[in-house]
Amino acid sequence: MRRRWLWLLKNTLNRVTTRAARSGRGPFSLVRHVGRKSGKTYETPVILARVPEGFIAELTYGEGVNWYRNIVAAGACEVLVDGEWHHVSAIEPCPSDAGREAFGYPARFVLQVLQRHEFRLLRTA
């Protein structure tokens, strides 16, 4: 069931949110990463929060998603935020409270209600 859900997102919603991220409007950003097995470059839409060290990502679907696993394997990626590319030099765990705080209101409230607790710091150079 999970695999079908992720396929549906990839082939419908992700196409729309990728366009929104490229335009620099809305809450979406893009993560550009290289496939662990294929070596192919991919772009995945995500919602990031800016912090002094870089960006905070909430792992909505957990650590098993390909974009996250690819970044961990490579140790780096690029993110497009507000129309500007940033190099991410490291990805690190982020405490739940700090992760939710980074998003501000109302996203912080939604993350709290949904009991989201998996956040990662995408450290920029």
Side-chain angles (χ1 to χ4, degrees), residues 24-83:
R25 287 177 260 154
F28 297 101
S29 301
L30 284 181
V31 174
R32 183 183 288 161
H33 52 98
V34 177
R36 300 176 308 286
K37 299 174 187 173
S38 68
K40 183 179 173 182
T41 299
Y42 296 95
E43 293 182 344
T44 303
V46 296
I47 297 177
L48 300 176
R50 191 181 299 265
V51 293
E53 302 89 350
F55 301 95
I56 300 290
E58 191 271 322
L59 300 181
T60 303
Y61 303 107
E63 294 179 340
V65 293
N66 284 325
W67 72 264
Y68 176 73
R69 293 171 57 198
N70 290 342
I71 293 171
V72 170
C77 68
E78 293 179 318
V79 293
L80 177 65
V81 180
D82 297 328

Side-chain angles (χ1 to χ4, degrees), residues 71-123:
I71 293 171
V72 170
C77 68
E78 293 179 318
V79 293
L80 177 65
V81 180
D82 297 328
E84 185 177 332
W85 285 101
H86 303 269
H87 177 74
V88 173
S89 57
I91 186 164
E92 305 167 7
C94 179
S96 298
D97 292 340
R100 281 189 294 271
E101 284 294 316
F103 281 89
Y105 189 84
R108 178 184 330 136
F109 176 75
V110 172
L111 292 168
Q112 181 70 40
V113 169
L114 295 175
Q115 298 180 356
R116 305 311 305 166
H117 61 274
E118 290 189 66
F119 296 89
R120 298 297 182 270
L121 169 63
L122 304 179
R123 190 175 293 278

